């Protein structure tokens, strides 16, 4: 994602079970190691808990979301050196050994986040005005297998764990909002953790085993696509020429919870880059649901797309992009935006040359110019143009308190179009179901000329509804697909989303300025959009004409005609134009899980 603020158009109580399950599963992940400084502090055990046989003690260091422990061979013998046993999101409290000392139960509260505690984010209001999330689990750590699991996790706060004398059950108190506190007793999960309890339910296990394909990406020449798939416990990436079958290129067979995302192909589709590892939380922690001893990292991988070639890790990184000529790769690292030459060996292997730092700090989004000479980089509230040829920079000027974002290049690489708005939308009435999304100063489109360094406003939204910019969801399957919010057409027009009539529709305006033309009339919304390879049309995923489903349609920009591509009972999304006027996309219906399809012209 590139920093867009998304909202859900539904009533607060209409959150789906799938969404709730995703939140819950995400909430109970995230284990790893602590810093060396924390390790030094953890040597002291001010208030350790002893195992029943007194051969092990555990404690939680002050200020650390982690558990430390040490052992000894006899009751009177010396203690071993302290070691960190786990680190976890949330807090650790009320440690309780099982009667045989092989397992440790503890409270794992995740806090009480209100809108104020979340920084007063107005985007959270209207969905749960007082409380956003509040929960707490009873965790069980198997000391022999070093595996963590949870006792009947749900959207409640569980506390005060106590083992039965025979160790077969754990009792605890459950505090659920709107209900009296209840003392419950449950069997602890198996040592294998959450997966074991899931596998014990055949119906749920079979549903989780259904293969799911995600939004495809395409090479610059439009001849090859690549896509991520989940197949039971396997996380995979397939590469497919548009005139041939899909071939498995990346396969992580034993799912450890590390996501695959940000898949990108070289211009000719012969190289593949992707990211392995989930998004970090606000503390910078990468999800580690298996409590692996080595803290996972969000890593960039690179390899040939040819059969049998194994990708190799490049290092920590995110959001890779090949240059238009395929000679270099740019990606984001904790240090900043870096680039390196792509080096090919005689045996077909590929690796990167030494990486060079382009800019330090964050880069929210970046786009190569068509000729590869420049990069448009969205940094914070502004857009920086980096000239790779002469190593010069131009920060496009803007007034204080204003934002430039979503840059897109003209075909000649000499102009940039951007969304320009105030920071933030300072007159938000309420969001989503509860009312309109408005701003005191309507957003606008601007074009920057890189030759003259002039910036021109070419269009501005009207006051009231639609005055606040609301983006397309260019990543509906949430795999860091770097879609554009603005599309620059072959006839020098800018296609953009606008919500002035209450629906998110596409409009077009001349790059020289003028009146905007509605491209997608009707009741319904455009979810995502992509420019055809010739720049003369736009393909959209929309529910216009079929409110309960998503279908694909093509907009002929010259004739201003919208033609349905995929009507019927199924849903389609993720439109990805390919060579020859064809189209790749994802399709699913009530009986068929999401799969990638390719249609010719």
């Amino acid at each position: 994602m590139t920093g867009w603020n998304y909202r859900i158009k539904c009533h607060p109580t209409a959150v789906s079970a799938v969404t709730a399950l995703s939140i819950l599963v995400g909430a109970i992940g995230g284990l790893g190691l602590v810093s060396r400084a924390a390790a030094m502090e953890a040597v002291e055990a001010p208030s350790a808990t002893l195992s029943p046989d007194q051969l092990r003690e555990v404690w939680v260091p002050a200020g650390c979301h982690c558990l430390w422990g040490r052992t000894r061979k006899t009751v009177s013998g010396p203690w071993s050196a302290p070691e960190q046993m786990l680190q976890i999101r949330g807090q650790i409290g009320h440690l309780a050994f099982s009667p045989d000392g092989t397992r440790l139960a503890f409270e794992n509260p995740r806090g009480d986040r209100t809108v104020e505690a979340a920084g007063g984010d107005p985007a959270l209001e209207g969905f749960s005005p007082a409380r956003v999330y509040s929960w707490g689990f009873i965790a069980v750590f198997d000391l022999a297998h070093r595996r963590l699991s949870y006792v009947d996790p749900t959207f409640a706060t569980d506390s005060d764990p106590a083992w039965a004398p025979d160790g077969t059950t754990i009792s605890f108190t459950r505090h659920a909002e709107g209900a009296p506190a209840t003392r419950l007793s449950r069997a602890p999960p198996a040592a294998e953790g959450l997966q074991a309890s899931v596998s014990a339910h055949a119906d749920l296990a079979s549903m989780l085993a259904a293969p799911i394909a995600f939004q495809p990406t395409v090479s610059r020449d439009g001849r090859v696509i690549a896509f991520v798939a989940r197949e039971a416990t396997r996380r995979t990436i397939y590469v497919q020429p548009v005139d041939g079958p899909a071939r498995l290129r990346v396969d992580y067979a034993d799912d450890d919870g590390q996501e695959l995302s940000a898949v990108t192909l070289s211009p000719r589709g012969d190289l593949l880059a992707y990211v392995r590892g989930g998004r970090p939380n606000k503390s910078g922690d990468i999800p580690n649901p298996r409590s692996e001893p080595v803290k996972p990292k969000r890593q960039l991988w690179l390899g040939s797309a040819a059969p049998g070639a194994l990708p190799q890790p490049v290092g920590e990184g995110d959001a890779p992009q090949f240059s238009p000529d395929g000679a270099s790769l740019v990606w984001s690292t904790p240090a900043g935006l870096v680039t390196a030459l792509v080096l090919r060996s005689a045996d077909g292997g590929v690796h990167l040359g030494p990486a060079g730092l382009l800019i330090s700090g964050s880069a929210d989004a970046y786009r190569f110019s068509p000729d590869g000479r420049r990069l448009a980089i969205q940094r914070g509230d502004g857009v920086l143009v980096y000239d790779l040829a002469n190593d010069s920079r131009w920060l496009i000027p803007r007034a204080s308190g204003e934002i430039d974002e979503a840059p897109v290049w003209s075909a000649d690489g000499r102009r940039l179009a951007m969304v320009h708005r105030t920071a933030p939308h300072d007159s938000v009435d309420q969001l989503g179901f509860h009312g309109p999304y408005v701003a005191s100063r309507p957003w606008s489109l601007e074009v920057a000329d890189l030759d003259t360094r002039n910036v021109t406003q070419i269009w501005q939204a009207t006051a009231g509804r639609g005055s606040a910019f609301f983006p397309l969801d260019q990543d509906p399957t949430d795999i860091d697909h770097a879609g554009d919010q603005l599309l620059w057409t072959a006839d020098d027009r800018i296609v953009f989303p606008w919500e002035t009539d209450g629906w998110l529709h596409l409009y077009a305006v001349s790059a020289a300025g003028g009146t905007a033309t509605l491209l997608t009339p009707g009741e319904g919304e455009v979810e995502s959009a992509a420019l055809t390879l010739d720049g003369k049309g736009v393909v959209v995923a929309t529910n216009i004409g079929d409110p309960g489903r998503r279908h694909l349609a093509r907009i002929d920009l010259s004739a201003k005609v919208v033609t349905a591509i995929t009507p019927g009972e199924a849903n389609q999304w993720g439109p990805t134009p390919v060579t020859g006027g064809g189209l790749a996309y994802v399709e699913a219906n009530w009986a068929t899980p999401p799969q990638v399809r390719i249609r010719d012209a």
Side-chain angles (χ1 to χ4, degrees):
M1 306 294 286
T2 57
W4 304 112
N5 292 317
Y6 290 91
R7 65 189 159 109
I8 302 171
K9 291 196 168 181
C10 64
H11 193 273
T13 60
V15 180
S16 70
V18 173
T19 302
L21 179 61
S22 299
I23 294 172
L24 181 59
V25 172
I28 61 179
L31 306 168
L33 302 176
V34 295
S35 66
R36 183 172 181 83
M40 296 301 293
E41 294 175 1
V43 172
E44 297 298 329
S47 57
T49 299
L50 275 172
S51 62
D53 61 8
Q54 301 185 45
L55 299 182
R56 180 188 296 272
E57 66 175 4
V58 294
W59 66 92
V60 180
C64 180
H65 300 238
C66 55
L67 183 71
W68 281 74
R70 58 186 178 182
T71 60
R72 56 187 176 184
K73 294 182 178 180
T74 64
V75 173
S76 59
W79 289 106
S80 65
E83 65 167 337
Q84 180 194 331
M85 303 170 70
L86 61 85
Q87 181 175 347
I88 191 170
R89 293 181 180 176
Q91 306 294 324
I92 299 176
H94 198 109
L95 306 179
F97 276 100
S98 61
D100 62 3
T102 62
R103 290 171 291 178
L104 182 72
F106 59 87
E107 296 174 352
N108 182 212
R110 299 300 175 97
D112 184 1
R113 289 190 62 213
T114 62
V115 170
E116 291 75 23
D121 185 354
L124 298 175
E125 297 177 11
F127 297 99
S128 182
R131 177 176 294 176
V132 180
Y133 298 126
S134 178
W135 52 51
F137 309 118
I138 299 300
V140 176
F141 186 62
D142 187 291
L143 296 164
H145 297 88
R146 293 298 177 97
R147 298 298 293 270
L148 189 71
S149 54
Y150 297 85
V151 180
D152 190 26
T154 187
F155 291 104
T157 300
D158 297 336
S159 60
D160 303 320
W163 292 85
D166 60 2
T168 58
T169 61
I170 297 176
S171 63
F172 57 92
T173 302
R174 172 158 291 172
H175 303 265
E177 189 169 358
T182 305
R183 193 68 182 176
L184 302 176
S185 182
R186 297 285 188 269
E192 290 76 11
L194 195 62
Q195 185 61 43
S197 60
V198 168
S199 300
H201 301 280
D203 291 342
L204 181 57
S206 64
M207 286 191 289
L208 295 176
I212 300 174
F214 296 90
Q215 182 169 356
T217 187
V218 65
S219 60
R220 189 176 181 85
D221 63 9
R223 297 180 181 277
V224 182
I225 66 169
F227 57 91
V228 173
R230 291 282 304 276
E231 303 170 82
T233 61
R234 298 168 61 206
R235 293 178 185 252
T236 57
I237 298 177
Y238 287 84
V239 175
Q240 179 176 5
V242 297
D243 57 354
R247 302 292 188 188
L248 182 64
R249 291 293 177 265
V250 176
D251 187 5
Y252 294 92
D254 186 16
D255 187 4
D256 59 359
Q258 299 307 308
E259 298 176 6
L260 302 181
S261 64
V263 177
T264 185
L265 290 165
S266 60
R268 294 181 299 168
D270 58 336
L271 299 181
L272 173 73
Y274 64 93
V275 173
R276 185 167 188 262
R279 294 190 186 97
N281 62 9
K282 292 182 178 179
S283 300
D285 296 324
I286 303 299
N288 183 14
R290 275 193 172 181
S291 182
E292 300 291 352
V294 178
K295 186 176 181 179
K297 297 180 179 180
R298 195 165 168 84
Q299 281 195 314
L300 173 66
W301 291 67
L302 173 70
S304 171
L310 296 177
Q312 299 297 320
V314 173
E316 282 191 87
D318 196 5
Q321 286 191 35
F322 287 95
S323 61
D325 60 3
S328 62
L329 186 72
V330 172
W331 70 99
S332 175
T333 73
L337 192 65
V338 300
T339 184
L341 293 177
V342 177
L343 306 176
R344 303 168 188 259
S345 58
D347 60 0
V350 59
H351 64 280
L352 295 177
L357 184 67
L358 292 175
I359 60 169
S360 59
S362 65
D364 299 321
Y366 33 96
R367 298 287 186 271
F368 274 102
S369 61
D371 59 9
R373 289 188 55 211
R374 300 183 175 108
L375 272 172
I377 305 168
Q378 184 177 318
R379 301 194 70 197
D381 294 345
V383 174
L384 175 72
V385 180
Y386 192 104
D387 194 310
L388 298 168
N390 57 29
D391 194 29
S392 64
R393 310 178 187 188
W394 178 43
L395 180 63
I396 296 177
R398 69 187 189 284
S400 175
E402 297 183 347
I403 292 176
D404 289 333
E405 59 190 3
V408 65
W409 289 95
S410 62
D412 59 12
R414 298 170 63 181
R415 292 167 293 166
L416 271 174
M418 300 164 292
V419 171
H420 182 82
R421 62 180 178 87
T422 55
H425 294 142
D426 56 352
S427 293
V428 176
D429 180 2
Q430 280 200 346
L431 306 183
F433 179 83
H434 292 276
Y437 189 41
V438 298
S440 59
R441 179 181 174 184
W443 68 281
S444 61
L445 292 175
E446 293 187 345
V447 171
D449 188 308
L450 272 65
D451 293 333
T452 64
R453 298 287 178 97
N454 289 329
V455 181
T456 305
Q457 178 179 295
I458 64 167
W459 175 87
Q460 186 170 27
T462 53
R465 191 187 298 272
S467 59
F469 179 71
F470 186 69
L472 296 167
D473 185 355
Q474 294 288 55
D475 189 22
T477 48
D478 199 27
I479 55 167
D480 291 335
H481 176 78
D484 291 319
Q485 292 296 318
L486 308 179
L487 308 175
W488 201 313
T489 70
D491 62 355
D492 213 34
R493 285 189 287 173
I494 310 298
V495 175
F496 61 93
W498 189 23
E499 206 178 26
T500 184
D501 63 355
W503 300 106
L504 190 64
H505 285 301
L506 290 187
Y507 294 76
V509 64
S510 169
T515 303
T517 302
L518 174 63
L519 299 177
T520 56
E523 293 191 354
E525 298 216 332
V526 175
E527 177 186 54
S528 57
L531 196 65
T532 57
L533 296 188
D534 61 8
K536 297 179 180 179
V538 174
V539 183
V540 299
T542 179
N543 69 341
I544 298 174
D546 191 353
R549 299 181 180 88
R550 290 179 289 183
H551 295 304
L552 306 182
R554 186 183 191 278
I555 306 169
D556 187 312
L557 295 171
S558 59
K560 299 183 179 63
V561 174
V562 181
T563 303
I565 298 175
T566 58
E569 296 291 326
N571 286 271
Q572 300 87 21
W573 62 90
T576 307
V578 297
T579 188
L583 183 68
Y585 56 94
V586 183
E587 180 174 271
N589 61 27
W590 66 271
T592 305
Q595 55 187 287
V596 172
R597 295 186 179 276
I598 299 179
R599 298 171 68 101
D600 59 25

